[in-house]
């Protein structure tokens, strides 16, 4: 099976009350860890690549790694550009074989966001590629951009409805209280997602797939493990998994997870090198690191996304 778009995946996810996981990939071990879990659980999958990942690994390497994963697993996998900043990077990825791109105009004015999203959607659709737009601003860190909680803003449901009809975007990322990175919320606070805003958007856009970014849960045992083996991460609070599960039962069809994988991988590598200070063959610490990614993705598929067995 070749790379697929998210069109069919999202339709089935919407009707089935689950979400598909979109996991960020930067190297071979990450691709292998994620796809091993998806294969084991027979789950549909989106592998996504940021501008930073393209800079780190190069487009062609990531493309070939994901093609290898498709060949190896036989799973329906979509290859998606995460947070495309402008038309040019989206065009580059569309021309370079991606099946889905995000144009992130969330920092622009409403009209400018509509303009660039429509430009990307028109170009993508002529080539059989699907598009994710974003409206509303998440707090947190992505690439080199740091959005403070004060500068973040929830998505306005009426604007969401207008945005979708004027741009032709195939899915929409919304801001309802999730946040990028490991340091999402103040330690000791109980984060709340605005599921009421999600419900109003779903009411206005029946059948339309919604995307949640910044959906890592920053599981405390992994932060503790990093710190047990020489790390010094401050306390971090992520998005409660039960709220994500609830969102996945409604219009949310794609949930983005990166930080939880980074944390699982780093915790494992730190532990390994601490326990085996004489090891210097990268395969010795990258094997358990890859397994940690697999275990984290399995946990998300089964307990958060609900896409177990849905490939
Ligand atoms: O939302 C951003 C993703 O976590 C990707 O992060 O831009 O550091 O690759 P990155
Ligand atoms: P996290 O930082 O919560 O994993 O979010 C990742 C993301 O939204 C990628 O686009
Ligand atoms: Zn994101």
């Amino acid at each position: 099976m070749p790379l697929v778009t998210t069109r069919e995946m999202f339709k089935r996810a919407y009707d089935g009350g689950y979400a598909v996981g979109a996991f960020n990939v930067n190297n071979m071990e990450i691709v292998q860890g994620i796809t091993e879990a998806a294969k084991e659980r027979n789950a549909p999958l989106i592998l996504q690549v940021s501008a930073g990942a393209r800079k780190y690994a190069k487009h062609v390497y990531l493309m070939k790694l994901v093609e290898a994963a498709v060949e190896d697993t036989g799973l329906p996998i979509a290859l998606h550009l995460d947070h495309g900043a402008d038309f040019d990077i989206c065009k580059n990825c569309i021309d370079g074989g991606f099946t889905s791109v995000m144009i992130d105009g969330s920092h622009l004015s409403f009209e400018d966001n509509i303009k660039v999203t429509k430009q990307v959607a028109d170009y993508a659709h002529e080539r059989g590629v699907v598009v994710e737009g974003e409206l509303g601003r998440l707090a947190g860190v992505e690439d080199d951009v740091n959005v403070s909680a004060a500068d973040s803003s929830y998505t306005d449901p009426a604007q969401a409805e207008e945005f979708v009809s004027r741009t032709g975007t195939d899915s929409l990322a919304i801001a309802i209280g999730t946040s990028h990175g490991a340091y999402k919320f103040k330690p000791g606070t109980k984060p709340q997602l605005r599921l009421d805003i999600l419900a109003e958007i779903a009411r206005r856009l029946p059948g339309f797939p919604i995307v949640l970014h910044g959906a890592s849960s920053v599981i405390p045992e992994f932060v503790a493990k990093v710190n047990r083996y020489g790390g010094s991460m401050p306390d971090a609070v992520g998005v409660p998994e039960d709220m994500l599960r609830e969102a996945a039962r409604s219009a949310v069809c794609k949930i983005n997870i990166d930080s939880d994988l980074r944390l699982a991988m780093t915790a494992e590598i730190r532990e390994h090198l601490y326990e085996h200070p004489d090891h210097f063959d990268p395969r010795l610490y990258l094997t358990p690191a890859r397994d940690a990614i697999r275990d984290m993705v399995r946990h998300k598929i089964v307990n958060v996304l609900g896409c177990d067995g849905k490939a």
Side-chain angles (χ1 to χ4, degrees):
M1 175 186 289
L3 281 168
V4 297
T5 73
T6 53
R7 209 178 293 281
E8 183 61 25
M9 267 183 203
F10 285 171
K11 195 181 166 342
R12 293 177 59 186
Y14 197 102
D15 295 343
Y18 62 88
V20 181
F23 301 99
N24 289 73
V25 296
N26 293 278
N27 67 15
M28 184 188 76
E29 284 75 15
I30 298 175
V31 171
Q32 288 180 333
I34 297 167
T35 50
E36 194 181 335
K39 175 77 183 163
E40 190 190 295
R41 304 311 311 184
N42 195 32
L45 185 61
I46 300 166
L47 295 176
Q48 57 187 12
V49 167
S50 69
R54 286 174 90 236
K55 195 166 152 196
Y56 171 76
K58 285 195 184 170
H59 182 100
V60 65
Y61 284 85
L62 294 168
M63 186 76 216
K64 300 288 178 196
L65 283 172
V66 172
E67 281 173 358
V70 169
E71 189 179 325
D72 188 38
T73 62
L75 284 173
I77 298 178
L79 177 54
H80 174 76
L81 169 66
D82 192 26
H83 293 285
D86 53 32
F87 177 79
D88 285 349
I89 188 171
C90 293
K91 177 180 183 306
N92 222 285
C93 289
I94 293 165
D95 296 347
F98 283 34
T99 54
S100 173
V101 293
M102 175 188 192
I103 172 68
D104 182 357
S106 59
H107 56 290
L108 302 172
S109 71
F110 185 58
E111 288 301 325
D112 286 348
N113 191 358
I114 287 179
K115 199 169 154 197
V116 70
T117 305
K118 180 167 171 20
Q119 187 189 9
V120 171
D122 289 347
Y123 188 83
H125 291 160
E126 279 166 21
R127 290 155 183 84
V129 170
V130 293
V131 173
E132 173 184 326
E134 177 164 344
L135 191 63
R137 280 205 95 179
L138 268 67
V141 185
E142 83 206 33
D143 258 334
D144 298 328
V145 183
N146 191 343
V147 181
S148 72
D151 287 337
S152 65
S153 57
Y154 295 125
T155 306
D156 176 311
Q159 279 197 339
E161 189 179 353
E162 185 181 341
F163 187 85
V164 168
S165 83
R166 287 178 60 193
T167 58
T169 188
D170 301 279
S171 64
L172 183 68
I174 61 167
I176 56 167
T178 61
S179 163
H180 285 109
Y183 307 106
K184 299 180 190 300
F185 309 106
K186 286 202 176 67
T189 56
K190 171 129 180 58
Q192 290 294 338
L193 294 191
R194 290 290 304 271
L195 295 174
D196 57 321
I197 296 179
L198 171 63
E200 177 57 14
I201 292 172
R203 190 187 69 75
R204 287 170 177 268
L205 293 167
F208 187 81
I210 298 300
V211 178
L212 288 187
H213 282 245
S216 281
S217 296
V218 200
I219 302 164
E221 81 181 73
F222 290 89
V223 177
K225 191 164 165 181
V226 166
N227 290 343
R228 187 155 63 246
Y229 297 108
S232 59
M233 288 183 68
D235 277 351
V237 179
V239 182
E241 291 188 332
D242 56 338
M243 287 184 192
L244 293 168
R245 184 70 202 95
E246 200 176 329
R249 283 198 188 90
S250 69
V252 171
C253 295
K254 172 175 180 272
I255 292 187
N256 285 13
I257 296 169
D258 186 8
S259 298
D260 278 343
L261 304 192
R262 295 179 177 192
L263 202 48
M265 185 170 199
T266 300
E268 199 59 40
I269 292 172
R270 279 193 176 279
E271 179 184 18
H272 186 92
L273 292 176
Y274 185 90
E275 300 287 353
H276 307 278
D278 56 323
H279 281 181
F280 66 96
D281 178 343
R283 291 171 298 186
L284 295 178
Y285 54 84
L286 289 176
T287 299
R290 182 172 58 190
D291 291 349
I293 294 219
R294 177 200 60 208
D295 295 349
M296 178 63 77
V297 171
R298 183 198 295 121
H299 163 73
K300 298 291 180 183
I301 288 171
V302 174
N303 300 307
V304 180
L305 302 159
C307 61
D308 202 9
K310 307 290 189 186

